[in-house]
Amino acid sequence: MQIKHIGNERKNVMEQIVLDIKKALGGNDDFFIKRDYLLKKEVLLLGLSTLVDMTKTKTILQKQSEGLISQGKTSESIFILMGELFEDDTKKAITSVLEGKLIIYIEHTKKFIIYEPVPKGLNRSIEVPSNESVIQGPSNSFTEDIDTNIGLLRKQLSSNKLLVHSFTTGKNQKTKISLLFINGLVDKELVENINSLIEKNKSMDISNLQSMSKMLGFSSWDTVSKFNTTELPFHASQFLKKGRVVILVDQLPFALILPNLLWDMFIVESDRNFPFPIMITISCLRVIGALIALISPGMYVALVAVNPEALQIELALSVAQSREGVPYPALVEVIIMLVVLELILEASIRLPKSVGPTITMVGGIILGQAAVEAKLVSNLLIIILAATTIANSTLVGAQSSLSIRSFKYINVILSSLFGVLGLVVGLVFISSYLASLTTFGKSYLYLNIGRKEQ
């Protein structure tokens, strides 16, 4: 009688887990509990119909069980081979259902099985990158599925030294995060620091780079991102070879490279497909582009408003003639046009791709021409700001481009106050700020963060 009582108690515990799962997820119309037969045993199938293709899953289940029976396997061994068995863990069962798994509860036993079903086709196929252009290099890009992204990196790096550490984070939103690095090339202290911070903040919900930065202890007010992002598995694999750490976050279609360095905005791995002199020339052009984007608006303000004596007399007269009739001081003129350009750039991102480039190009031309004809801005300023925008676009990475776009306003304001001296002070201030940035003890100006394999 005592043995029977214990058996009934165990059965009640198992049924209670099913009730707990139903209580937690039963309010969802796509949650199902279906009774079925598997290996002549009554089972309950629990899952989400929007994540699980039940028709195909049941067909595969049947074929698997028949194949294992034909090999002489017992029912107990077949259930073990089907998936992960567990007992008395409601939280694990609920998490598995939300992750798209199928829970098989074998009635009148104490067994739950987490089965990997046939998923619904919710992920897009591997496509070309939408934000990064590739010249003479692999053009496949990351997707929103983290397992697919890990597979793409493993395809690029077929090495047993490529290690993957995965975590499930979030209290209200479960998110999978994977940490990838090459053993022997990466700084072990860097990996340990990242691992410990993720473990420490596993309860945080991760859905964007700001929340990821908060998890890793980065300041929310840093103008320069601590992450270098890329959509290209080829670029991510090359960073791994340099001793960097790659972080993949489920539902984010790009990789995060740690730490981010200054030189990443001037050098891209696909440049190595060109001859060495051409590669160096391209990198130098990006450096020149960064300097033009930082200096030219401030230089215009300094030479027009504060230090016109620094110009040759012919050039000074030409500049004065171009500004004839303009009612605003140089600072206001530059700020107005910079804001208009920022609006055009933002509109080009938000508008539909079918009409966005046309509207922004026509709008920019019409606005620029109208502003010059109305004597609101000078012809020279239109040329300078066009060159600034083009130069800013030569940099590698959207995060780096945005940083340079924000820094140029510091130079403009200081140049309006102190002229050329203010421009120099602004460049020194920006250089000092960049030199002060560190990521897990590695300076932003560091050349190589990895270590050579012993």
Side-chain angles (χ1 to χ4, degrees):
M1 290 297 294
Q2 187 177 2
I3 296 175
K4 183 177 179 181
H5 174 73
I6 294 173
N8 290 334
E9 184 178 352
R10 171 63 67 180
K11 178 182 175 183
N12 291 335
V13 170
M14 293 299 106
E15 291 176 349
Q16 185 60 44
I17 293 179
V18 175
L19 292 176
D20 290 340
I21 298 173
K22 184 177 180 181
K23 182 179 179 181
L25 302 175
N28 299 289
D29 291 338
D30 59 343
F31 175 71
F32 64 83
I33 299 179
K34 296 183 178 179
R35 191 178 301 275
D36 207 333
Y37 286 88
L38 186 63
L39 300 176
K40 299 181 180 180
K41 293 182 180 291
E42 290 186 47
V43 296
L44 289 179
L45 305 177
L46 298 84
L48 296 173
S49 60
T50 50
L51 298 178
V52 179
D53 190 329
M54 276 306 297
T55 303
K56 294 180 180 179
T57 299
K58 289 175 69 174
T59 302
I60 292 177
L61 262 175
Q62 192 67 28
K63 289 181 178 179
Q64 281 183 347
S65 57
E66 289 176 357
L68 292 171
I69 289 174
S70 65
Q71 297 176 16
K73 302 286 186 181
T74 63
S75 299
E76 288 74 14
S77 61
I78 291 174
F79 284 129
I80 293 174
L81 293 172
M82 280 185 174
E84 180 184 353
L85 272 69
F86 69 94
E87 302 178 17
D88 303 346
D89 196 339
T90 306
K91 185 177 180 180
K92 184 175 184 178
I94 294 172
T95 301
S96 299
V97 170
L98 293 173
E99 290 176 351
K101 304 294 192 298
L102 181 67
I103 302 296
I104 303 175
Y105 168 53
I106 308 169
E107 291 196 288
H108 312 301
T109 70
K110 58 180 181 179
K111 295 183 176 65
F112 279 85
I113 301 173
I114 300 177
Y115 181 75
E116 189 70 44
V118 177
K120 286 288 183 71
L122 303 177
N123 297 320
R124 63 184 174 95
S125 59
I126 299 171
E127 301 172 351
V128 296
S130 58
N131 297 315
E132 295 183 61
S133 299
V134 183
I135 301 176
Q136 294 187 356
S139 59
N140 55 346
S141 65
F142 289 118
T143 70
E144 287 76 14
D145 183 61
I146 190 170
D147 293 326
T148 301
N149 294 340
I150 295 173
L152 288 171
L153 277 176
R154 286 202 176 276
K155 191 73 173 177
Q156 290 286 340
L157 276 174
S158 181
S159 171
N160 61 344
K161 294 186 177 181
L162 176 60
L163 301 182
V164 179
H165 293 174
S166 295
F167 310 85
T168 300
T169 64
K171 185 177 182 181
N172 301 315
Q173 174 188 347
K174 298 297 181 182
T175 303
K176 183 178 178 181
I177 298 175
S178 292
L179 193 68
L180 293 87
F181 57 90
I182 295 181
N183 190 29
L185 294 180
V186 73
D187 187 339
K188 291 184 178 180
E189 185 179 353
L190 174 63
V191 176
E192 290 172 359
N193 287 336
I194 297 174
N195 275 328
S196 61
L197 286 170
I198 294 177
E199 287 286 353
K200 179 181 177 181
N201 300 306
K202 287 181 72 172
S203 61
M204 293 178 58
D205 294 326
I206 304 298
S207 58
N208 50 54
L209 289 188
Q210 287 189 14
S211 54
M212 192 70 207
S213 297
K214 188 175 180 181
M215 169 179 277
L216 295 179
F218 300 147
S219 173
S220 302
W221 296 97
D222 283 333
T223 308
V224 177
S225 175
K226 295 298 180 71
F227 300 106
N228 183 13
T229 61
T230 179
E231 292 180 284
L232 301 169
F234 172 69
H235 287 173
S237 66
Q238 298 305 310
F239 280 117
L240 286 170
K241 291 179 182 179
K242 293 179 179 179
R244 308 283 186 94
V245 173
V246 171
I247 297 179
L248 298 174
V249 182
D250 200 18
Q251 298 307 310
L252 292 185
F254 49 83
L256 313 179
I257 316 297
L258 276 174
N260 182 26
L261 302 180
L262 173 68
W263 316 110
D264 293 339
M265 72 172 71
F266 306 126
I267 301 172
V268 63
E269 285 302 320
S270 57
D271 289 346
R272 299 184 184 276
N273 293 318
F274 299 106
F276 186 76
I278 296 177
M279 183 190 76
I280 295 298
T281 302
I282 293 173
S283 299
C284 290
L285 283 175
R286 295 193 182 109
V287 174
I288 294 171
L291 293 175
I292 290 175
L294 279 173
I295 294 174
S296 56
M299 182 67 74
Y300 174 83
V301 173
L303 296 179
V304 168
V306 183
N307 299 119
E309 68 277 2
L311 297 172
Q312 289 185 349
I313 186 63
E314 294 84 357
L315 184 56
L317 291 174
S318 177
V319 171
Q321 185 178 4
S322 70
R323 297 197 74 251
E324 184 179 357
V326 176
Y328 305 112
L331 176 62
V332 177
E333 181 188 11
V334 169
I335 293 296
I336 289 175
M337 291 309 299
L338 283 176
V339 171
V340 170
L341 276 175
E342 298 290 353
L343 293 174
I344 292 174
L345 289 173
E346 189 66 18
S348 66
I349 298 172
R350 305 301 169 194
L351 284 171
K353 292 183 179 180
S354 57
V355 298
T358 303
I359 291 177
T360 52
M361 181 180 67
V362 174
I365 293 172
I366 292 173
L367 283 173
Q369 184 177 358
V372 170
E373 291 181 354
K375 298 295 183 179
L376 297 178
V377 296
S378 66
N379 290 316
L380 180 59
L381 179 61
I382 297 295
I383 296 172
I384 288 175
L385 294 188
T388 300
T389 305
I390 294 171
N392 198 87
S393 301
T394 61
L395 302 179
V396 178
Q399 301 280 348
S400 301
S401 178
L402 289 171
S403 299
I404 297 298
R405 280 167 61 183
S406 61
F407 285 148
K408 67 175 178 280
Y409 290 99
I410 297 175
N411 288 337
V412 168
I413 294 172
L414 290 175
S415 297
S416 69
L417 297 175
F418 307 107
V420 175
L421 177 61
L423 178 61
V424 174
V425 170
L427 292 176
V428 171
F429 173 78
I430 293 170
S431 301
S432 302
Y433 172 71
L434 296 179
S436 68
L437 295 175
T438 58
T439 305
F440 297 112
K442 304 298 181 182
S443 172
Y444 184 61
L445 305 183
Y446 208 72
L447 292 175
N448 181 24
I449 60 95
R451 63 180 181 85
K452 294 183 178 180
E453 189 174 3
Q454 301 296 326

